[in-house]
Amino acid sequence: MYITSIANQKGGVGKTTTTTNLSYNLSRRKKKVLVIDCDPQGNASQTLSKVSPFELEKNIGMLFSDGATFSSCAVPCKYEGIHLIPNNLNAGSITLSVDYNDPMRFIGFRTALERDIDFMKTFDYVLIDCPPQIDSLFLNNALVVSDFYIIPVEAGSAYALSGVDALLRVVNKIVAVNPKLKLLGALLTLLDKRTKAGKIIANSVKAYFQPENVFKTQIHRNTVIERSNIAGRCICDFDESALGCRNYRDLATEFMDRIESFNG
Ligand code: ADP
Ligand code: MG
């Protein structure tokens, strides 16, 4: 079982779209996936949950109560092979009630995971959709339990790399308590290859991270993805012929290969 956080302080860079569509394509390869929605906006939950995340009794907020376990918060998704720990604005506000001195601000997930390791081991992959904040209890908790993290970078934005330094500073602090945490790769998203700007930004991302730390798979800007998100569906379930579907299928292959190569 490998835990991967999908993180970037910047909003709108494709964190949630990557989490949901990667989970979908891994599940199509008969992998069991747990998605943990760490963003109180609950967008991943909206795509994956069978019912509105607000109607679910189980949610991520419960993880911070006494004796909580992951299995007690997880629900099966609309897609077979994927379980979800849902989030919504109500559940997300639990973070406000966790005292500033409470160690659960960092080890809430780890505590719940250790209590529940048998359940967690039923999954091949755990994907954590992180919130677009750097000083977030959810981000800290996610990175403390993760083996890997992926940084989606918006290839269509001149400010693509702004905020990445801040995220890497948080990562460096977390590595002190979780030395296994590694960058699985930066992922170029929302790429428009027809524009020169797209190419320039792609090159600067490779220079920043080193080319081997950037996924070869690139996620192109594809309006069908926007429509699939609006419909609350994953792209390959919505339109198998879409470029976005091919991109996320390729990403699932490269994701598994990269994890494999890290583990020799
Ligand atoms: P984040 O989770 O980082 O905030 P999202 O995954 O929610 O980012 O994506 C931001 C917006 O961009 C959403 O409206 C989403 O539907 C859209 N989007 C994401 N990826 C693509 C893509 N490859 N092509 C077109 N639209 C996309
Ligand atoms: Mg999001």
Side-chain angles (χ1 to χ4, degrees), residues 51-254:
V51 298
S52 157
F54 282 99
E55 289 172 34
L56 292 166
E57 246 172 68
K58 295 181 172 186
N59 60 55
I60 198 159
M62 295 163 58
L63 274 183
F64 294 89
S65 55
D66 282 343
T69 59
F70 277 94
S71 52
S72 64
C73 308
V75 294
C77 290
K78 61 171 77 147
Y79 299 118
E80 210 189 316
I82 309 176
H83 274 68
L84 167 73
I85 297 191
N87 208 333
N88 63 49
L89 289 172
N90 297 341
S93 67
I94 186 82
T95 62
L96 301 174
S97 63
V98 181
D99 195 86
Y100 256 90
N101 303 317
D102 190 336
M104 294 303 253
R105 291 195 79 81
F106 284 89
I107 58 163
F109 283 10
R110 180 138 100 188
T111 310
L113 188 133
E114 281 164 1
R115 276 196 203 112
D116 219 3
I117 198 72
D118 289 342
F119 170 74
M120 296 303 279
K121 281 191 173 157
T122 64
F123 296 100
D124 297 295
Y125 300 108
V126 178
L127 300 180
I128 310 183
D129 185 20
C130 291
Q133 288 100 27
I134 215 78
D135 58 343
S136 155
L137 170 151
F138 284 131
L139 179 67
N140 289 335
N141 273 273
L143 293 174
V144 165
V145 296
S146 288
D147 301 285
F148 300 105
Y149 61 101
I150 293 174
I151 307 180
V153 182
E154 184 189 352
S157 163
Y159 312 111
L161 288 168
S162 69
V164 171
D165 282 342
L167 173 64
L168 294 178
R169 275 198 296 277
V170 173
V171 166
N172 283 336
K173 279 193 193 145
I174 300 282
V175 165
V177 287
N178 176 19
K180 69 181 189 298
L181 181 64
K182 286 185 282 295
L183 176 65
L184 191 63
L187 173 69
L188 284 160
T189 59
L190 292 150
L191 177 70
D192 192 343
K193 268 239 171 109
R194 289 164 308 181
T195 67
K196 217 172 176 180
K199 278 188 208 143
I200 294 170
I201 294 162
N203 285 335
S204 63
V205 169
K206 282 182 199 149
Y208 182 93
F209 287 101
Q210 303 300 320
E212 66 274 19
N213 293 323
V214 180
F215 277 90
K216 294 199 173 50
T217 308
Q218 300 177 332
I219 310 297
H220 292 84
R221 188 179 287 279
N222 179 209
T223 53
V224 193
I225 288 189
E226 184 73 68
R227 284 196 280 128
S228 73
N229 280 339
I230 292 168
R233 286 161 67 183
C234 290
I235 181 66
C236 295
D237 169 43
F238 187 75
D239 181 353
E240 255 198 313
S241 67
L243 174 63
C245 173
R246 264 179 285 146
N247 288 169
Y248 275 110
R249 260 193 206 140
D250 291 347
L251 182 66
T253 306
E254 192 180 354

Side-chain angles (χ1 to χ4, degrees), residues 3-92:
I3 307 182
T4 304
S5 284
I6 291 89
N8 187 335
Q9 171 182 18
K10 230 169 157 260
V13 299
K15 292 183 290 295
T16 300
T17 303
T18 296
T19 305
T20 54
N21 287 289
L22 183 56
S23 75
Y24 180 89
N25 282 296
L26 291 170
S27 76
R28 294 303 100 168
R29 316 264 172 106
K30 304 277 176 261
K31 302 296 179 193
K32 287 206 70 190
V33 187
L34 175 68
V35 173
I36 305 177
D37 185 353
C38 275
D39 188 348
Q41 292 180 59
N43 298 146
S45 303
Q46 284 160 27
T47 299
L48 296 174
S49 170
K50 288 184 189 172
V51 298
S52 157
F54 282 99
E55 289 172 34
L56 292 166
E57 246 172 68
K58 295 181 172 186
N59 60 55
I60 198 159
M62 295 163 58
L63 274 183
F64 294 89
S65 55
D66 282 343
T69 59
F70 277 94
S71 52
S72 64
C73 308
V75 294
C77 290
K78 61 171 77 147
Y79 299 118
E80 210 189 316
I82 309 176
H83 274 68
L84 167 73
I85 297 191
N87 208 333
N88 63 49
L89 289 172
N90 297 341

